[in-house]
Amino acid sequence: MNLFAHTRQQQGKLPGKRRIVFLLPMGIERPSGRRYLNIARGLVQQGFQVRILALHPDLASCTQRRFVIDGVEVWYVGQMHARKVGSTPVRFTPLELLFVLLSSTLGMMWGVLCSPAEWYHLGKPQPINGMAALLAVCLWRRQPFLVDCDDDEVTANRFTARWQRAVFAFWQWLLPRLAAGITVNTRYLADQMARLQRPCVIVPNGVARDFSPPPQPIRTALRQALRLPAGPVIAYAGTIALHNHPVDLLLQAFAQIIVQHPTARLLIIGGGEDLPVIQHYVSQQPWYEQVIFTGHVSHQTVRALLALADLSVDPVYDDAVARARWPLKIAESLALGVPVVTGDVGDRAEILGYGTAGIVVPPGDATALATGITELLADPARLTAMAAAAQVQAKRYDWELLSKRWATIYDQVSRTS
């Protein structure tokens, strides 16, 4: 089924069927990619026709480059700027990177030319989708574009050269200034965009309604497979990349936690380029047997593993990376009834219902993080109440509701154009 296989005359016969094309510099299986896929699903339910033009993390291994998910058409049109096998990036040489940038930009431009639409929406202001927007959307189609900012691209990415950082900084600066409208995920980014005087809508990250704990027999089997004894389980779910996910802060806190809770286990769910570094560090600690690494696992497996925890942790520093982020892992933890302990940065206190579904502590402070965790573990009644409140709080961030908020940006841009 090709949702866009219509001539201009046929398009005129479909009143109310507005078309949106997303230009994504990542795959839909990445955390940010899941944001756009879920928004797209909600837009389809509202009567929009949606196509996603995306870059694959490992295009050579991608056997199906066009498919439909819940009414959303997905085209993989090129390779991401960093090849990823699982969650581990493989850096390109400068010459290989140049080829990837050129071929993927051309692939995305071709995708735009094959996809007539009312709205072209960039997911993240980055070079490949930015160049495709300027050349194919603005110059060829003579249409405006919108941009979604869900991160601080300059500080969130790990670059191997200064020129790469400069390129990303340029596009992050330029594209919102040229966009007809902007969507963001946090108030921090909304405040930064306010000076541009463009229509702007805040759409946080969310969670699907059916994101719930697996049946008890599955959880019991998982506990046995992981050799989790009776005792508190503290979980971290996310990428192991220290430049923007300070898992080392959690490990420093865990060293203090086990003094008061000697049977506690730390379950680290996920992979990443710094996983070997973290594993080596843990192996040198006297409590190494109490830390369990799962490595890279599927999103469905993350749900099952995270559901084993008594609480989850989002360790952060007070920096641009943390202020700009609205972590998917927090929303998913809440939906599973797993309270969260994190730093008081950005929108996190609001996400946790100001203390009803978890707690915030001073950011970047391992002792404060340990204190918050130990206090919750020492108060089972409070932890149980938070678990129930967490699932209620998660309903505020249902993707279907958030997609309706997202759709308002198109009406705002129409009124101002």
Side-chain angles (χ1 to χ4, degrees):
M1 176 183 178
N2 188 329
L3 300 179
F4 288 77
H6 302 285
T7 63
R8 291 286 184 181
Q9 182 178 7
Q10 287 173 319
Q11 290 177 25
K13 296 179 180 179
L14 292 171
K17 288 288 186 181
R18 294 183 290 175
R19 293 170 175 78
I20 301 170
V21 173
F22 284 100
L23 283 65
L24 307 187
M26 83 295 287
I28 60 171
E29 70 288 335
R30 311 307 300 179
S32 286
R34 295 203 301 273
R35 167 178 172 82
Y36 302 116
L37 177 61
N38 283 300
I39 290 291
R41 284 169 166 156
L43 292 171
V44 167
Q45 292 177 1
Q46 297 176 57
F48 290 89
Q49 292 181 347
V50 184
R51 172 177 291 170
I52 293 176
L53 306 177
L55 304 182
H56 198 275
D58 188 14
L59 189 65
S61 68
C62 180
T63 57
Q64 188 178 18
R65 300 190 182 183
R66 293 190 189 182
F67 50 91
V68 177
I69 301 178
D70 297 333
V72 180
E73 193 173 3
V74 180
W75 285 16
Y76 278 118
V77 296
Q79 168 67 47
M80 283 179 59
H81 68 276
R83 179 170 172 259
K84 292 189 178 182
V85 179
S87 60
T88 304
V90 179
R91 305 295 177 185
F92 292 111
T93 66
L95 188 60
E96 290 172 334
L97 180 59
L98 178 61
F99 175 77
V100 167
L101 292 175
L102 289 174
S103 60
S104 294
T105 300
L106 289 173
M108 191 158 285
M109 290 173 59
W110 169 82
V112 170
L113 299 182
C114 294
S115 307
E118 279 68 39
W119 304 110
Y120 295 89
H121 207 139
L122 278 64
K124 290 182 172 289
Q126 291 191 7
I128 294 176
N129 60 346
M131 184 63 73
L134 295 183
L135 296 179
V137 177
C138 295
L139 294 182
W140 179 267
R141 291 202 169 275
R142 298 184 181 278
Q143 291 181 236
F145 65 86
L146 300 93
V147 64
D148 179 66
C149 302
D150 75 334
D151 223 332
D152 186 310
E153 303 301 323
V154 179
T155 56
N157 285 282
R158 178 177 285 176
F159 301 105
T160 57
R162 289 185 178 180
W163 69 266
Q164 294 176 347
R165 179 181 293 272
V167 168
F168 268 68
F170 170 75
W171 286 99
Q172 181 173 259
W173 174 87
L174 178 67
L175 291 172
R177 286 164 171 78
L178 299 179
I182 303 168
T183 50
V184 296
N185 64 332
T186 60
R187 286 187 171 82
Y188 170 78
L189 289 173
D191 290 342
Q192 289 191 326
M193 300 302 164
R195 71 193 72 169
L196 303 181
Q197 298 182 341
R198 298 282 193 279
C200 182
V201 175
I202 302 175
V203 183
N205 285 326
V207 64
R209 289 183 180 179
D210 60 354
F211 196 88
S212 57
Q216 185 60 48
I218 293 179
R219 282 180 281 171
T220 300
L222 275 175
R223 287 190 71 97
Q224 293 173 348
L226 295 171
R227 298 180 180 178
L228 284 173
V233 176
I234 302 162
Y236 167 84
T239 303
I240 314 299
L242 295 176
H243 68 285
N244 60 10
H245 294 86
V247 182
D248 53 334
L249 187 67
L250 173 57
L251 294 175
Q252 294 168 31
F254 188 68
Q256 302 174 49
I257 292 167
I258 58 174
V259 174
Q260 298 186 45
H261 298 277
T263 62
R265 293 293 186 272
L266 177 59
L267 181 61
I268 298 182
I269 307 165
E273 56 193 309
D274 289 325
L275 178 58
V277 175
I278 293 297
Q279 288 176 320
H280 177 72
Y281 172 81
V282 170
S283 70
Q284 306 301 307
Q285 308 307 314
W287 35 265
Y288 71 94
E289 292 184 337
Q290 293 174 252
V291 181
I292 301 168
F293 295 93
T294 70
H296 177 70
V297 294
S298 69
H299 188 227
Q300 286 298 319
T301 305
V302 170
R303 176 177 67 170
L305 292 169
L306 189 55
L308 301 178
D310 294 279
L311 58 85
S312 71
V313 185
D314 173 39
V316 291
Y317 290 100
D318 188 4
D319 54 21
V321 173
R323 290 191 291 269
R325 278 190 174 157
W326 203 111
L328 275 167
K329 58 176 167 277
I330 292 184
E332 294 179 347
S333 186
L334 297 181
L336 295 172
V338 179
V340 179
V341 179
T342 185
D344 190 6
V345 182
D347 297 342
R348 285 168 176 77
E350 179 183 351
I351 300 169
L352 298 181
Y354 300 100
T356 62
I359 61 173
V360 292
V361 299
D365 187 333
T367 298
L369 190 62
T371 299
I373 294 170
T374 54
E375 286 181 354
L376 274 186
L377 293 179
D379 191 345
R382 184 184 180 196
L383 195 60
T384 299
M386 280 190 172
Q391 292 183 306
V392 174
Q393 180 71 2
K395 294 178 181 178
R396 297 183 56 196
Y397 303 108
D398 175 70
W399 278 122
E400 185 175 334
L401 298 176
L402 295 176
S403 67
K404 293 178 180 178
R405 186 185 306 182
W406 180 286
T408 64
I409 188 63
Y410 305 119
D411 293 331
Q412 289 189 36
V413 171
S414 295
R415 290 195 298 267
T416 57
S417 61

